[in-house]
Structure formats: C-alpha cells, structure tokens
Amino acid sequence: MEALQASYGGDASSDSDADDTTPVPTNFKESPTPLPPPPLFLLNPSNSTPVGNLPTNVLYFLDFIVSGQAARVRSFPHVEGNYALHVYIPVYIPSVPKKELTLFLKKLASIVPGLHIVDVDVPLNSLYEDDHKLEQVALGREFHISLGRTVPIRVHQIDSVVAMLRQKLQFQKRYWIDFSKWQVFVNDDHTRTFLSMEVVTGGLAEIRKQIHSVNEVYKLHNLPEFYKDPRPHISLTWALGDISDSLERVVEEEMKRFNVGSSLHKRIFTSKFGGIECKIGNKTYKICKFQDE
C-alpha cells in the first residue's frame, strides 16, 4: 500500500492560516464524551436556504453531529501571517451515479465500523437509515482533485503565486475525467485510512500535465512539490488508524457483488473538467480559461 501524505491545510482569517476542507484530511482528535446524533428530520429540505453546496438545515445538522466527534488539526504549525495554499480541480458527482454510490457506501457502513464522511466528519453509519440524507451529505458537495500540496505561504507571496499559476495554466482545453477505480490510501504516519475514487484512464494525462505546471510554480517559491508519481483522486470516507487491508478486502468483495447489473464495474462516474481554482486563506481565485475546441 502506497502511503498518501496528508498535506492538509485550511481556510484562514484575514491574517492567519486555519483548517481547510480539502479532499485529503490529516490528524484528528477524539472527544471523551461524544454527543448522540440529532434526529434526521433536521435534514428535511423544507424551509431551508442553500448555503454553499448544502442548505442551512443540513449545515445545522452537521454542526450538531460533529460536536464531540473527531476534529481536524493542522498539518503544519500556525504562524501569524501565513495563509494555506491549495490548488485543485473542483468536481461534482452527477446525479445519476449518486444512487448506486449511496447504496455502495451504505453497504460499506454496515460492514466496516468507524467510517466517517470526508470534510464534514460525520459518522457514515449515522446516516445509514436514510438513503436521501446519506446521498445529500456524502455525495452532494464539491470534491477536489489536488494539483499540489496544501502548504503555508506568506502574504507577500500571494500575488506572485496566483500570477504565475495563471500564466502557466491560463488556457486549458475541456476534457472528461473518468473516476474508474476504488482505491484505499493511508497517510504517512498510518493514523488515517481513506476510501477514494482514483483517475487511472480518461483525464489522467491532462491532470498530470497540470500538476507539473503547479510544481514549477511551487519550486520558484521554494514550496514542496507534489508526489513524484501522482495519483489523482477524490476521497469519500476516512477511518482512524491503518485499516487498509481489511477495507480493501471488503471493497473488493462488495464490488464483485455490486458489479452484477451495475455500471460501476466500467467506471464509477465521469465528470467534465470545469477549471482550476486556487484557495489561499479564505479567498478562492479562478486560475484558467478555456480554449475553443
């Protein structure tokens, strides 16, 4: 199993770095007295106003349920004046494959204990009884394919980083990204295991070229480059510790069963490349434009 370094940065206030919601989490800490989850009627769509990708009643539910649950901590120490930098491709899962994915996650939740939804950190089994809520929380948000490590930068580097990223990546052609493989990753210190969907065919060459361009900008700013053999992916769930062997066995066995009459044996889903974004602190920058095809 190839370890996946948890380069996990974050949103910042106007003058400092803070936790982020990138697809690759890092360390968490447990509360000794977790609160029980609230009733799922809090997720009912009535009388809700969308905020970002999720309505306010869902956000309220998540705030409640995560209280006392695992919480992210920084992968690098807080330094006044630092901002967390993350370069990524935003991805949304289309509506059609969500139904099959929801059933697959539900099955995993019934077999593998301790799985949590990435970013919102909600226990997967807390949504087990309601397929709609599971789909909404686990699959209805924006996912990210990282094109570079999440690292801290100083305020005087921001303009230069953004300008160079735009210069390197300004014009991009649209292409299709195939998420066609379930993959289990483990962070470098083997404290977290992630269930991800990996890009191994369509879109892989284009994404690797984009990673190369980001690496060039990072090098010019003395920032650590991305992995030598990048494996583009988005992560759906995480669990404490290294449970890679057992999780891989369960995923492999369930995919054999699930593939009967299912489209997931060909590819999990396909998404059209929609651009590159760079998040620095709490500000998001659009990096590329599209060439006429």
Side-chain angles (χ1 to χ4, degrees), residues 95 98-99 102 130-140:
S95 58
K98 282 182 182 178
K99 302 300 180 184
T102 298
D130 192 315
D131 291 358
H132 174 70
K133 307 306 188 294
L134 178 58
E135 176 184 324
Q136 189 177 21
V137 176
L139 306 173

Side-chain angles (χ1 to χ4, degrees), residues 97 100-101 177-182 197-202 255-256 258-270:
E100 286 184 297
L101 287 170
I177 303 173
D178 289 337
F179 293 87
S180 52
K181 181 183 179 183
W182 288 101
M197 293 184 284
E198 188 177 3
V199 180
V200 295
T201 53
M255 283 305 299
K256 289 178 182 177
F258 208 74
N259 283 342
V260 179
S262 170
S263 63
L264 295 187
H265 68 288
K266 297 179 181 179
R267 64 174 63 90
I268 305 171
F269 76 92
T270 298

